[in-house]
Amino acid sequence: MSTIKVAIVGATGETGSSIEITALARPESLHKLANAELKTRGVKVMPADLNGPQEKLVGLLAGIDVVISAIFFGSLADEIPLANAAKIAGVKRFVQSAFMVVTPPRGVVDFREKKEDILNHIQKIRLPYTYIDAGWWYQLTLPRLPSGRLDHALPSTQPEQVIGADGLVPSALVDIRDVGRYVAKIVADPRTLNKRVHVYNEVFTRNEVYDLVEELSGEKLERKYITEEEIMSRIEEARSDLQVDPTSLQALGALTTYQLLHSWGIRGDNTPEYAAYLGYLDGKELYPDFKYTRFEDYVKAALDGAAKGVYQIRK
Amino acid sequence: MSTIKVAIVGATGETGSSIEITALARPESLHKLANAELKTRGVKVMPADLNGPQEKLVGLLAGIDVVISAIFFGSLADEIPLANAAKIAGVKRFVQSAFMVVTPPRGVVDFREKKEDILNHIQKIRLPYTYIDAGWWYQLTLPRLPSGRLDHALPSTQPEQVIGADGLVPSALVDIRDVGRYVAKIVADPRTLNKRVHVYNEVFTRNEVYDLVEELSGEKLERKYITEEEIMSRIEEARSDLQVDPTSLQALGALTTYQLLHSWGIRGDNTPEYAAYLGYLDGKELYPDFKYTRFEDYVKAALDGAAKGVYQIRK
């Protein structure tokens, strides 16, 4: 097949950095360390102001086959001008940002509704698209060990570690390092055009995760279970904090964290079965030979000190 | 295959009456002439208050396989308690009301957004469903002839007859008398479970409709074209009328009529191609042998005085 020209918007975030190609960056972040790193890997980094003049954006996207957005989940509305420009430029496939757990399109996770709004806009302007959800990251899945042995692999701002309901709720997991390879397959695949696609590596309950980490580490974990009522009250708390200060990233983070936990940890939305019900194509059926990192191997590497975490403040 | 038990809610409307089986009716409309007619055809008519106690509704739906809603498009929100009860009762498939033209899920037709909200609620509670769009009715498609020869087949409250844009926009048409037969096939078909389905008979532009009616009638038609700008200004007018009086059925009717015309007559959303882009299954592929009334035959029958119209006030 001929070369596919891909533009990635927001390539230096956690998701974007696992995909390779041409990067559109906010002018003010052009000189970020991560963009310099992209350049050393041969990626063309171009300045792009998503809220600037449309014709400039159209010009940047001319000749691009696939646009992959990996912008911050708090700025998803910026995808509207990006999609409009992509439509005019004749882009052949648009991929929205925030690959994540499967949730209902509306009514459970606020920012998921924003994604659906943007998808509905894409559909209104008839821009070819692929909508991708890609599992809950291994890198956000490890429990903290009493010895601190896994701390190097945990996010810097690690939220309180709690287990939804009885710990028996299954959830689809992925290694973030596999996401880019899944996306590369998906955007080159005619079967996924104008479809929703669900990719993931393995399905685990929280109890199974804890059991596995205990078995492989030889340490005993404390298990703190949280009820649906308790999660709902934290969601309400975060929502009222956000009403007081709509710009509070902390309140937005708390709201999103607990709404996502409600979805994957209590309701059990993040499963291949629910994705199928919602009409997603299944990555296991599309790419049965895809080689991915097994969760057990990720845990072993983390215990050996060889896992890289996400959302870590660079020292 | 074993007998499928179907309950229809709102069976006496224009869509509902083309499907046969068990009917749930509002207690206050139990004694409507149309319900009496349903009874003479062997249909069980049961009173059901959609906003009444949930356990009563659940009781009514116990043992029902398929619920088909055909309630008034202005009361779609009543489908929320109906869907909740259907979920508890173990209904195996739920079909929303307002089979209609294919439009974008959001941003073009207000009441289509309400349908999408209800679908999103259905998906949140994981109720098995099929979402059906079924074309623009032949019965709303005929132009008025100068001689008055087609008047008997036109709706009583015939809106102004205008042609969107240049009259070259294709739109999928259906004979309303075929809709029930399509729906009967769809709800018995495992391929359509948890899917969107688009059924239609034939695709015509407005110019082709006018040409055909001129040719078959021998009369000359006036063609009044309307621009997108003019339609948008009428939509805004209806919207502000509705803001002044949110209960005005006339304003709601005007808003809906012009928004639908914008979608199928200008944007060209009501086509098999756009339905495919939106992920609908195509009725022509599902049921290639389906015998339907051709539009030409419907026009001939109408010219012979043998067509029954819709939305006609009974004299």
Side-chain angles (χ1 to χ4, degrees):
Chain A
M1 115 182 270
S2 59
T3 307
I4 299 179
K5 292 187 183 167
V6 178
I8 300 178
V9 183
T12 60
E14 293 294 350
T15 303
S17 59
S18 66
I19 309 167
E20 294 180 69
I21 321 207
T22 297
L24 303 188
R26 285 173 300 170
E28 63 270 29
S29 54
L30 259 193
H31 300 291
K32 268 174 68 175
L33 180 60
N35 274 319
E37 284 172 6
L38 284 178
K39 282 181 203 159
T40 65
R41 289 159 69 192
V43 174
K44 197 163 136 195
V45 180
M46 308 277 285
D49 179 1
L50 301 187
N51 293 303
Q54 187 178 66
E55 59 274 20
K56 276 188 82 168
L57 214 43
V58 172
L60 279 171
L61 296 176
I64 295 284
D65 298 308
V66 180
V67 171
I68 298 173
S69 167
I71 64 176
F72 177 55
F73 83 95
S75 312
L76 292 182
D78 289 353
E79 289 181 350
I80 299 282
L82 182 64
N84 291 340
K87 175 69 184 179
I88 296 168
V91 164
K92 299 195 190 77
R93 188 176 325 221
F94 187 94
V95 180
Q96 293 174 253
S97 188
F99 312 143
M100 61 158 191
V101 292
V102 175
T103 77
R106 294 183 194 274
V108 179
V109 180
D110 285 18
F111 103 78
R112 177 65 183 78
E113 298 192 16
K114 287 185 194 150
K115 281 193 70 175
E116 193 73 9
D117 286 342
I118 292 160
L119 175 60
N120 288 158
H121 178 80
I122 287 168
Q123 292 175 323
K124 180 184 164 184
I125 65 172
R126 301 182 203 179
L127 176 62
Y129 73 91
T130 300
Y131 184 101
I132 302 174
D133 277 326
W136 188 251
W137 301 339
Y138 290 173
Q139 286 76 5
L140 294 173
T141 295
L142 293 177
R144 184 180 301 278
L145 279 175
S147 66
R149 198 170 152 200
L150 285 178
D151 286 5
H152 73 283
L154 299 176
S156 307
T157 52
Q158 172 73 356
E160 178 194 8
Q161 294 198 321
V162 286
I163 299 174
D166 50 12
L168 297 173
V169 178
S171 181
L173 302 180
V174 75
D175 190 317
I176 191 172
R177 296 166 301 177
D178 292 325
V179 172
R181 291 170 52 237
Y182 280 120
V183 172
K185 279 199 170 291
I186 291 167
V187 299
D189 185 344
R191 296 173 299 173
T192 61
L193 190 64
N194 304 325
K195 294 282 190 294
R196 299 179 195 235
V197 181
H198 181 223
V199 285
Y200 62 97
N201 290 358
E202 295 178 304
V203 176
F204 274 77
T205 67
R206 286 307 283 164
N207 282 347
E208 288 168 348
V209 167
Y210 275 59
D211 291 348
L212 181 68
V213 172
E214 285 187 342
E215 185 194 321
L216 294 175
S217 69
E219 296 187 41
K220 187 80 191 158
L221 289 163
E222 189 196 358
R223 301 191 189 204
K224 267 180 75 179
Y225 295 92
I226 188 169
T227 63
E228 181 161 21
E229 291 66 34
E230 179 60 25
I231 287 185
M232 295 315 282
S233 86
R234 295 196 193 182
I235 288 171
E236 286 319 308
E237 201 180 311
R239 203 190 291 284
S240 47
D241 288 351
L242 209 53
Q243 264 159 0
V244 173
D245 178 7
T247 67
S248 166
L249 286 182
Q250 199 185 347
L252 178 66
L255 178 70
T256 306
T257 299
Y258 287 115
Q259 286 187 325
L260 287 173
L261 179 59
H262 179 219
S263 178
W264 68 259
I266 302 259
R267 288 178 42 94
D269 295 323
N270 185 38
T271 65
E273 293 74 22
Y274 187 56
Y277 162 82
L278 289 176
Y280 287 68
L281 301 180
D282 187 324
K284 296 292 182 202
E285 289 172 21
L286 292 170
Y287 315 114
D289 301 325
F290 188 93
K291 300 277 178 268
Y292 56 84
T293 303
R294 294 187 57 229
F295 182 60
E296 181 170 340
D297 293 331
Y298 174 79
V299 176
K300 285 178 182 164
L303 287 169
D304 290 344
K308 184 181 161 295
V310 291
Y311 296 132
Q312 294 181 321
I313 295 156
R314 289 167 194 244
K315 285 166 196 153
Chain B
M1 119 180 264
S2 59
T3 308
I4 299 179
K5 292 186 184 168
V6 178
I8 300 177
V9 183
T12 60
E14 293 294 349
T15 303
S17 60
S18 67
I19 309 166
E20 295 178 68
I21 320 205
T22 297
L24 303 187
R26 285 174 300 170
E28 63 270 29
S29 55
L30 258 193
H31 300 290
K32 269 174 67 177
L33 180 61
N35 274 318
E37 284 171 7
L38 284 178
K39 281 181 202 160
T40 65
R41 289 158 69 192
V43 173
K44 197 164 137 195
V45 180
M46 308 277 286
D49 178 1
L50 300 187
N51 292 302
Q54 186 178 67
E55 59 274 20
K56 276 187 83 169
L57 215 44
V58 172
L60 279 171
L61 297 175
I64 296 285
D65 298 309
V66 180
V67 170
I68 298 174
S69 168
I71 64 176
F72 177 55
F73 84 93
S75 312
L76 291 182
D78 289 353
E79 289 181 349
I80 299 282
L82 182 64
N84 290 340
K87 176 69 184 179
I88 296 169
V91 163
K92 300 194 190 76
R93 187 177 324 221
F94 186 94
V95 181
Q96 293 175 250
S97 188
F99 312 142
M100 62 158 189
V101 292
V102 175
T103 78
R106 295 184 192 274
V108 179
V109 180
D110 285 18
F111 103 79
R112 176 64 182 80
E113 298 192 17
K114 286 186 196 151
K115 280 192 72 175
E116 194 71 9
D117 286 340
I118 293 161
L119 175 60
N120 289 158
H121 178 79
I122 286 167
Q123 292 175 323
K124 180 183 165 185
I125 65 172
R126 302 183 202 178
L127 176 62
Y129 73 91
T130 300
Y131 184 101
I132 302 173
D133 277 327
W136 189 251
W137 301 339
Y138 290 172
Q139 285 77 5
L140 295 173
T141 296
L142 293 177
R144 185 180 300 278
L145 280 175
S147 65
R149 198 170 150 201
L150 285 178
D151 286 5
H152 72 284
L154 298 176
S156 307
T157 52
Q158 172 74 356
E160 179 193 8
Q161 293 198 322
V162 287
I163 300 174
D166 49 12
L168 298 172
V169 179
S171 181
L173 302 180
V174 75
D175 190 317
I176 190 172
R177 295 166 300 176
D178 292 326
V179 172
R181 291 170 51 237
Y182 280 120
V183 172
K185 279 200 171 292
I186 292 167
V187 299
D189 186 343
R191 294 174 299 174
T192 61
L193 190 64
N194 304 324
K195 294 282 190 292
R196 299 180 194 233
V197 182
H198 181 222
V199 286
Y200 62 97
N201 290 358
E202 295 178 306
V203 176
F204 273 76
T205 67
R206 286 308 283 164
N207 283 346
E208 288 168 348
V209 167
Y210 275 59
D211 290 349
L212 181 68
V213 172
E214 286 186 341
E215 184 194 322
L216 294 176
S217 68
E219 297 186 40
K220 187 79 190 159
L221 289 163
E222 187 196 0
R223 302 190 190 204
K224 268 180 72 178
Y225 295 91
I226 187 169
T227 64
E228 180 161 21
E229 291 63 35
E230 178 59 25
I231 286 186
M232 296 314 283
S233 86
R234 295 196 192 183
I235 288 171
E236 286 319 308
E237 201 180 310
R239 204 191 289 285
S240 46
D241 288 351
L242 209 51
Q243 264 159 1
V244 173
D245 178 6
T247 66
S248 165
L249 286 182
Q250 201 186 343
L252 178 66
L255 179 70
T256 306
T257 299
Y258 287 114
Q259 285 188 325
L260 288 173
L261 180 59
H262 178 221
S263 177
W264 69 258
I266 303 260
R267 289 178 42 94
D269 294 323
N270 185 37
T271 65
E273 293 73 22
Y274 187 56
Y277 163 82
L278 290 176
Y280 287 69
L281 301 180
D282 188 325
K284 296 291 183 205
E285 289 172 22
L286 292 170
Y287 315 115
D289 301 324
F290 188 93
K291 299 277 177 272
Y292 56 83
T293 303
R294 294 186 57 228
F295 182 61
E296 181 170 339
D297 293 329
Y298 174 78
V299 176
K300 285 178 181 165
L303 289 168
D304 290 342
K308 185 182 160 293
V310 292
Y311 297 132
Q312 292 181 321
I313 294 155
R314 288 167 193 244
K315 287 168 192 154

